[in-house]
């Protein structure tokens, strides 16, 4: 194949051919003498101001240029893309190629990277196409540009000029950057998951499940977290939050806040006071980092969920009749903003109810109002039945959350099951109003003994329960104020004894001296019980409780 016949049709060669034709018909320059040297070989003038004659681009031989450039160049023609030319760089990369052979046979390297269909497209459309950073069999990466060449040199018609620029360095740098981003994301995901609860605590009265799903590979990990904390006395704290920002830093701040929440929860404070403490701590951890958080406490004796929210999305509750309740008020600003007095609210959570705490990744979508996402979640919750884990999975699917979701998602589902039959026998309550003076103590002992006998506890546990009830009542009668109440509660795992009164002063365990006549009641309770504690009641007063683990279901 005569390449010069092809090169005459390369882009721009029509103009160069026309220019050479004009020179051929123009008169030759005058000659000064027979021995004169032709102008093309004249020496460079040195004493004139005329510019030096330079060769025009149009006069450069195309093939010589293509042979010398470092990029890979090949020229094919016809529907089978038969080889017309490959330059030296191409031959050095893949070896010499026979002229006239079809590309499918003679250019296997192009076939391996899937370039042959692109040649067909370029030939049909007469428009150039580019494929970026394809790895060739020689191990290097190239960006291929295929340009149509309109030629009448062969009866087969047009051709395609293949130009391959070596971008190996750029491709390797990009791969190193992607690898670094993957490692950083894996580190953040590992840190995030390690800071979340490895196993959820299992309260006696609630069934709980949680799901955390990090954003897709193109999204950095955020600071979503959740937690379940058993407070004692049958009460349970539930927490969900979201640290603004992405990556390792957000995960680290999340871990510090979660640890702080667990520490503050052990103080058994009302939800709004816990958020008040977290607000100040968040500002100390990082003044530029803010977080949303919802903290709720469930008490089976009250049948409601008491909560406080710092800029977080509303808790949703489906009651036993299927009605959805949205716990919207009160809501304060996010943690870390400072200067705000948080307040607590409540939403009913009786037997048969299901509550959902979640982060914005579940309901927030680009181009949509977040209220629309919350409303869609309400509809999904209305029809989501089954165990808490099943409800979690159904809500995730209903929200369209997939592995490549662009934001982290955390969901916490809790159910207060309605019990009946033999299961109901394992969950009992009994209460006594403590009226009168010192005679209330023997009346409380008799009440506790009768209740524990009816619940068929072993003799040893019966006696310990009566002793604990007696000491707690005596302590309340001596240091508390009316109204006073003794409550006994049993679950499938423990016996809980609680005494409430109207005094805000919380008792503490102390070492009584031999001569002291008082101060040993709480020490006795702490010694014989599995756990004990005290807290201030929301409406004033306090509650002192202790609990005993049941050896077996009786």
């Amino acid at each position: 194949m005569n390449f010069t016949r092809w090169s005459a049709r390369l882009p721009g060669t029509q103009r160069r051919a026309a220019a050479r034709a004009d020179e051929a018909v123009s008169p030759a320059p005058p000659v000064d003498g027979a021995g004169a040297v032709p102008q093309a070989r004249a020496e460079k003038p040195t004493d004139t101001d005329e510019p030096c004659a330079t060769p025009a681009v149009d006069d450069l031989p195309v093939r010589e240029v293509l042979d010398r450039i470092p990029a890979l160049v090949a020229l094919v023609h016809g529907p089978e893309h038969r080889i017309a030319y490959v330059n030296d760089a191409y031959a050095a990369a893949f070896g010499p190629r026979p002229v006239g052979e079809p590309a499918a046979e003679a250019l296997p390297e192009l076939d391996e990277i899937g370039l042959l269909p692109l040649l067909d497209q370029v030939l049909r459309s007469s428009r150039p196409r580019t494929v970026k950073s394809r790895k060739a069999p020689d191990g290097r990466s190239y960006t291929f540009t295929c340009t149509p060449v309109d030629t009448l040199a062969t009866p087969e018609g047009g051709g395609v000029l293949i130009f391959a620029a070596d971008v190996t360095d750029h491709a390797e740098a990009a791969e190193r950057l992607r690898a670094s981003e993957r490692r950083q994301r894996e580190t953040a995901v590992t840190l995030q998951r390690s800071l979340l609860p490895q196993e959820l605590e299992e309260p006696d009265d609630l069934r709980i499940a949680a799901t955390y799903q990090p954003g897709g590979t193109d999204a950095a990990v955020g600071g979503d977290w959740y937690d379940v904390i058993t407070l004692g006395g049958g009460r349970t704290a539930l927490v969900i939050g979201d640290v603004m920002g992405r990556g390792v830093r957000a995960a680290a701040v999340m871990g510090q806040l979660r640890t702080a929440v667990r520490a503050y929860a052990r103080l058994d404070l009302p939800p709004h006071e816990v958020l008040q403490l977290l607000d100040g701590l968040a500002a100390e951890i990082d003044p530029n980092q803010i977080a949303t958080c919802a903290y709720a406490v469930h008490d089976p004796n009250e049948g409601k969920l008491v909560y406080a929210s710092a800029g977080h999305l509303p808790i949703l509750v489906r009651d036993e009749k299927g009605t959805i309740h949205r716990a919207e008020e009160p809501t304060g600003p996010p943690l870390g903003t400072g200067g705000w007095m948080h307040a607590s609210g409540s939403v009913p959570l009786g037997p048969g109810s299901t509550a959902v705490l979640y982060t914005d990744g579940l309901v927030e979508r680009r181009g949509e109002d977040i209220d629309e996402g919350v409303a869609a979640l309400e509809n999904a919750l209305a029809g989501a039945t089954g165990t808490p884990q099943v409800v979690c999975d159904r809500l995730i699917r209903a929200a369209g959350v997939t592995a490549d979701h662009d934001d982290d998602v955390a969901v916490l589902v809790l159910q207060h099951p309605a019990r009946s039959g033999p299961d109901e026998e394992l969950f009992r309550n009994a209460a006594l109003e403590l009226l009168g003076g010192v005679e209330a103590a023997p009346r409380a002992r008799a009440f506790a003994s009768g209740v524990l006998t009816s619940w068929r506890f072993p003799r040893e546990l019966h006696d310990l329960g009566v002793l604990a009830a007696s000491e707690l009542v005596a302590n309340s009668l001596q240091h508390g104020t009316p109204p006073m109440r003794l409550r006994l509660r049993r679950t499938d795992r423990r016996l809980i004894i609680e005494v409430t009164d109207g005094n805000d002063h919380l008792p503490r365990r102390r070492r009584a001296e031999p001569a002291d006549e008082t101060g040993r009641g709480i020490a006795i309770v702490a010694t014989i019980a599995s756990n004990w504690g005290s807290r201030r009641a929301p409406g004033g007063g306090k509650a002192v409780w202790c609990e005993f683990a049941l050896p077996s279901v009786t």
Side-chain angles (χ1 to χ4, degrees), residues 226-281:
Y226 57 83
D227 208 348
V228 177
I229 309 165
T230 53
L231 301 177
R235 303 168 72 249
T236 305
L238 306 126
V239 193
I240 195 160
D242 185 3
V243 177
M244 305 302 177
R246 303 281 182 175
V248 176
R249 179 59 183 168
V253 172
M254 176 275 290
Q256 295 178 76
L257 289 178
R258 177 176 173 260
T259 302
V261 169
R262 294 192 70 87
Y264 294 147
R266 297 305 177 191
L267 301 176
D268 215 341
L269 300 171
H272 66 275
E273 293 189 23
V274 172
L275 290 190
Q276 208 71 49
L277 293 172
L278 280 178
D279 185 32
L281 180 65

Side-chain angles (χ1 to χ4, degrees), residues 124-206:
R124 287 194 303 266
S125 65
S126 297
R127 300 180 64 180
R129 296 286 191 274
T130 298
V131 175
K132 295 183 178 180
S133 192
R134 289 287 180 89
K135 196 165 187 177
D138 66 344
R140 304 190 68 79
S141 298
Y142 299 91
T143 291
F144 291 88
T145 300
C146 301
T147 305
V149 177
D150 183 17
T151 177
L152 301 177
T154 68
E156 294 178 321
V160 179
L161 180 69
I162 304 168
F163 185 92
D166 190 338
V167 294
T168 303
D169 293 341
H170 296 284
E172 291 177 351
E175 180 58 32
R176 287 193 297 269
L177 180 60
R178 286 192 293 269
S180 175
E181 292 175 347
R182 284 194 299 269
R183 287 193 297 270
Q184 184 177 11
R185 184 179 184 279
E186 290 170 0
T187 300
V189 170
T190 302
L191 176 62
Q192 177 88 344
R193 291 193 181 279
S194 66
L195 294 175
L196 290 174
Q198 303 304 302
E199 291 185 7
L200 291 178
E201 297 185 20
E202 298 181 1
D204 296 356
D205 296 275
L206 298 177

Side-chain angles (χ1 to χ4, degrees), residues 114-457:
L115 203 63
L116 296 186
L118 188 66
L119 299 180
D120 295 332
Q121 296 178 19
V122 172
L123 200 59
R124 287 194 303 266
S125 65
S126 297
R127 300 180 64 180
R129 296 286 191 274
T130 298
V131 175
K132 295 183 178 180
S133 192
R134 289 287 180 89
K135 196 165 187 177
D138 66 344
R140 304 190 68 79
S141 298
Y142 299 91
T143 291
F144 291 88
T145 300
C146 301
T147 305
V149 177
D150 183 17
T151 177
L152 301 177
T154 68
E156 294 178 321
V160 179
L161 180 69
I162 304 168
F163 185 92
D166 190 338
V167 294
T168 303
D169 293 341
H170 296 284
E172 291 177 351
E175 180 58 32
R176 287 193 297 269
L177 180 60
R178 286 192 293 269
S180 175
E181 292 175 347
R182 284 194 299 269
R183 287 193 297 270
Q184 184 177 11
R185 184 179 184 279
E186 290 170 0
T187 300
V189 170
T190 302
L191 176 62
Q192 177 88 344
R193 291 193 181 279
S194 66
L195 294 175
L196 290 174
Q198 303 304 302
E199 291 185 7
L200 291 178
E201 297 185 20
E202 298 181 1
D204 296 356
D205 296 275
L206 298 177
R207 299 293 176 263
I208 300 178
T211 296
Y212 169 74
Q213 181 170 313
T217 54
D218 294 334
V221 176
D224 295 15
W225 95 90
Y226 57 83
D227 208 348
V228 177
I229 309 165
T230 53
L231 301 177
R235 303 168 72 249
T236 305
L238 306 126
V239 193
I240 195 160
D242 185 3
V243 177
M244 305 302 177
R246 303 281 182 175
V248 176
R249 179 59 183 168
V253 172
M254 176 275 290
Q256 295 178 76
L257 289 178
R258 177 176 173 260
T259 302
V261 169
R262 294 192 70 87
Y264 294 147
R266 297 305 177 191
L267 301 176
D268 215 341
L269 300 171
H272 66 275
E273 293 189 23
V274 172
L275 290 190
Q276 208 71 49
L277 293 172
L278 280 178
D279 185 32
L281 180 65
E284 294 178 8
I285 292 174
D286 190 343
N288 300 318
Q289 200 95 40
I290 60 175
T292 64
C293 180
Y295 181 89
V297 175
H298 175 256
D299 189 335
N301 296 320
E302 298 178 358
K304 62 183 179 180
L305 197 64
V306 180
Y307 69 92
S309 175
H312 205 79
L313 294 166
I315 300 171
L316 302 182
V317 177
R318 184 187 66 208
D319 63 21
E320 66 278 7
K321 297 179 181 179
T323 304
I324 303 297
H325 303 271
R326 184 188 294 193
E328 291 187 305
E329 299 294 340
T331 299
L335 303 176
T337 55
W340 181 268
M341 294 300 295
H342 292 274
S344 295
S346 65
V347 61
L349 188 72
S353 299
T354 300
V356 178
L357 293 78
Y358 53 94
T359 57
D360 58 1
L362 185 66
V363 296
E364 190 173 29
R365 299 294 181 270
R366 290 190 179 93
E368 295 182 8
D369 191 282
I370 196 168
D371 287 336
E372 297 178 10
V374 176
L377 182 61
E378 289 181 348
N379 294 333
L381 177 60
T385 58
T387 65
Q389 189 59 57
V390 170
V391 173
C392 261
D393 296 340
R394 290 182 176 179
L395 295 181
I396 290 286
R397 287 197 301 271
V401 177
T402 58
D404 57 351
H405 193 59
D406 61 356
D407 195 5
D408 289 26
V409 175
V411 182
L412 183 65
V413 174
L414 58 138
Q415 292 179 343
H416 188 186
R419 298 179 174 88
S420 60
D423 191 37
E424 186 179 13
E425 295 296 320
L426 300 178
F427 291 81
R428 295 291 192 89
N429 279 283
L432 174 68
E433 299 293 334
L434 300 175
L435 304 175
V438 293
E439 67 273 12
R443 192 164 58 248
R445 283 193 296 270
F447 173 78
S449 178
V451 169
L452 298 181
T453 300
S454 68
W455 289 349
R456 299 179 182 178
F457 283 150

